[in-house]
Amino acid sequence: MLYHLLYPLADQVGGFNVIRYITFRTAAATLTALFIAFVVGPWLIRRLAELRIGQPIREIGPDHQAKQGTPTMGGLLILASLLVSVLLWSELDGRFVWIVITLTAGYGVLGFIDDYRKVTRGSSAGISARTKFLWQTLLATLVAIAITTDPDFHPVLTIPFVKDFRPDIGWLYIPIATFVIVGTSNAVNLTDGLDGLAIGPVMISAGTFLILSYAAGNVMIADYLNIEYVAGAGQLAIFCGALVGGGLGFLWFNASPAQLFMGDVGSLALGGALGTIAMLIHQEILLAVVGGVFVVETLSVVIQVASFKLTGRRVFLMAPIHHHYEKLGWPEQKIVVRFWIVSIILGLVALSSLKLR
Ligand code: 57M
């Protein structure tokens, strides 16, 4: 919004000229979201505690009883700081930003309802898995159709480390985009099981996609790197910057011992946002590299449940895999920081793929 208000005044006020640069607005969006989260965070924590919106803890599993009652729905803090910052700093006449905002807000509402039911019923059973999945799929399909029917968008599939081969998959893009958005949302949700464990890789992924979005939206850089040029993708860098800023502000309170959990309102929304951005800039497969921690967490559950059902035996001490390391006796913080380190390595590998082709 500020772009539309201040840039026309650049002739009168020279300093406003800087607002035309996406790099400036991305940095500003990051700091704005961080500032909002810092300011609103303490108030939200107090308010959630007053309303007794605390996390019910399951009996089974690693000993998390001490976490009982920790204020949850902290995802509201991330989403509020993210969305206010994006509305302030991005150009609001682009369809792609509104597509990501719609999906993120829609998944946030779904997660809010799930969290609300868990808290009011005092149990970790919120919306049924089936209902949650159906709504996620419906929203993701609508977004996938909106993307695929956009005249500025070419439904091509990008394969990491492969140059000059980007097949146009046409309407097939819709089910693939739906799968990526729903899958990423649930993968982040499963990962969010230790203090700071989910928000770290989310921010690292968002930071990686910030760079990839900026590159995809700049015709010269896209041509130099031989990646698909996506008109308007630069605005997604601003969204990613705000996501990193809001995530950092949330991490200030979610760092162990957590004063605040993000809740499904955060995990579903942030995963959905990452999946949608990945589809828009044609880096859906690279998302599996950048978000490798989310992939491993999800695979650990699939393997554990399949093994348990087929053979009655567990492969891991407990799934998702972060609980396996807890059962091995690793301290929570050690597990979390090591998962962050793996995430950073995967982000660097993903960025290197732009040149290693
Ligand atoms: C999402 N939610 C956390 C918090 C967070 C199929 C099965 C693998 C599903 C899985 C499951 O229920 N996943 C749900 C994970 C929960 O966190 C809340 O949920 C939000 C995210 N959606 O924001 O509000 C708990 O995680 C801990 N936590 C922290 N710090 C944080 O910053 O300590 C969360 C955020 C919180 C808190 O204790 O209550 C969760 O773990 O439920 N189920 C599981 O993950 C369970 N695993 C399991 O059942 N494994 C079995 C299956 C696979 C056969 C096995 O391996 O044998 C574990 N989860 C729990 N207890 N809570 C183990 C049992």
Side-chain angles (χ1 to χ4, degrees):
M1 177 174 65
L2 292 177
Y3 172 81
H4 300 290
L5 291 177
L6 301 182
Y7 186 47
L9 305 175
D11 295 337
Q12 287 81 7
V13 183
F16 287 164
N17 189 50
V18 73
I19 206 150
R20 65 186 288 198
Y21 298 107
I22 287 178
T23 47
F24 168 78
R25 283 188 278 131
T26 298
T30 305
L31 294 173
T32 303
L34 178 57
F35 175 76
I36 294 171
F38 270 155
V39 169
V40 175
W43 170 82
L44 179 68
I45 291 169
R46 279 196 308 275
R47 196 76 187 109
L48 290 170
E50 285 163 11
L51 295 170
R52 306 178 67 74
I53 298 181
Q55 180 70 46
I57 302 291
R58 285 200 188 132
E59 292 303 319
I60 62 162
D63 180 20
H64 282 198
Q65 293 314 315
K67 297 169 184 266
Q68 176 77 32
T70 303
T72 187
M73 294 199 197
L76 291 170
L77 180 66
I78 306 171
L79 297 184
S81 53
L82 162 65
L83 295 178
V84 166
S85 185
V86 166
L87 293 175
L88 268 179
W89 293 106
S90 67
E91 294 161 46
L92 300 176
D93 50 6
R95 276 188 66 181
F96 290 167
V97 174
W98 287 111
I99 285 174
V100 181
I101 287 174
T102 304
L103 190 285
T104 305
Y107 274 34
V109 168
L110 182 63
F112 178 88
I113 295 168
D114 192 31
D115 289 331
Y116 185 79
R117 287 199 180 172
K118 284 174 189 167
V119 169
T120 50
R121 293 175 180 170
S123 86
S124 53
I127 304 176
S128 75
R130 178 192 299 271
T131 307
K132 194 190 291 189
F133 182 76
L134 285 176
W135 279 105
Q136 284 179 302
T137 305
L138 174 65
L139 263 172
T141 304
L142 292 174
V143 160
I145 291 168
I147 295 174
T148 310
T149 54
D150 188 304
D152 288 336
F153 188 81
H154 308 119
V156 294
L157 195 63
T158 302
I159 300 158
F161 303 104
V162 171
K163 197 171 181 176
D164 297 329
F165 176 64
R166 283 198 290 272
D168 185 322
I169 56 175
W171 63 269
L172 262 181
Y173 194 86
I174 294 172
I176 291 174
T178 302
F179 171 77
V180 168
I181 294 167
V182 174
T184 312
S185 176
N186 287 311
V188 174
N189 183 40
L190 282 173
T191 303
D192 193 26
L194 296 177
D195 297 353
L197 181 62
I199 196 62
V202 163
M203 288 193 291
I204 294 159
S205 301
T208 306
F209 278 107
L210 185 160
I211 296 168
L212 293 170
S213 298
Y214 183 79
N218 182 303
V219 67
M220 289 188 293
I221 298 176
D223 182 52
Y224 169 70
L225 292 173
N226 197 342
I227 57 176
E228 189 71 13
Y229 169 65
V230 181
Q235 299 304 311
L236 298 175
I238 295 168
F239 185 99
C240 290
L243 179 44
V244 172
L248 276 175
F250 168 74
L251 180 58
W252 186 270
F253 305 104
N254 181 241
S256 181
Q259 300 163 265
L260 185 64
F261 293 156
M262 72 168 72
D264 283 37
V265 62
S267 59
L268 297 184
L270 298 183
L274 288 176
T276 306
I277 291 168
M279 296 315 297
L280 283 167
I281 62 170
H282 301 282
Q283 297 295 358
E284 53 280 328
I285 301 176
L286 207 58
L287 173 63
V289 176
V290 183
V293 162
F294 302 129
V295 173
V296 167
E297 289 266 350
T298 304
L299 285 179
S300 70
V301 171
V302 171
I303 292 166
Q304 181 86 327
V305 172
S307 166
F308 196 65
K309 282 187 172 169
L310 294 174
T311 68
R313 296 164 56 90
R314 286 182 164 81
V315 173
F316 304 95
L317 296 176
M318 174 152 280
I321 196 167
H322 54 263
H323 290 315
H324 174 79
Y325 290 108
E326 275 192 296
K327 291 277 189 181
L328 284 178
W330 289 24
E332 180 172 1
Q333 295 88 326
K334 190 177 279 289
I335 300 168
V336 172
V337 172
R338 286 181 173 176
F339 276 44
W340 289 355
I341 292 169
V342 169
S343 240
I344 291 167
I345 293 167
L346 291 171
L348 294 173
V349 166
L351 289 174
S352 70
S353 76
L354 294 176
K355 287 309 290 170
L356 299 177
R357 292 189 299 169

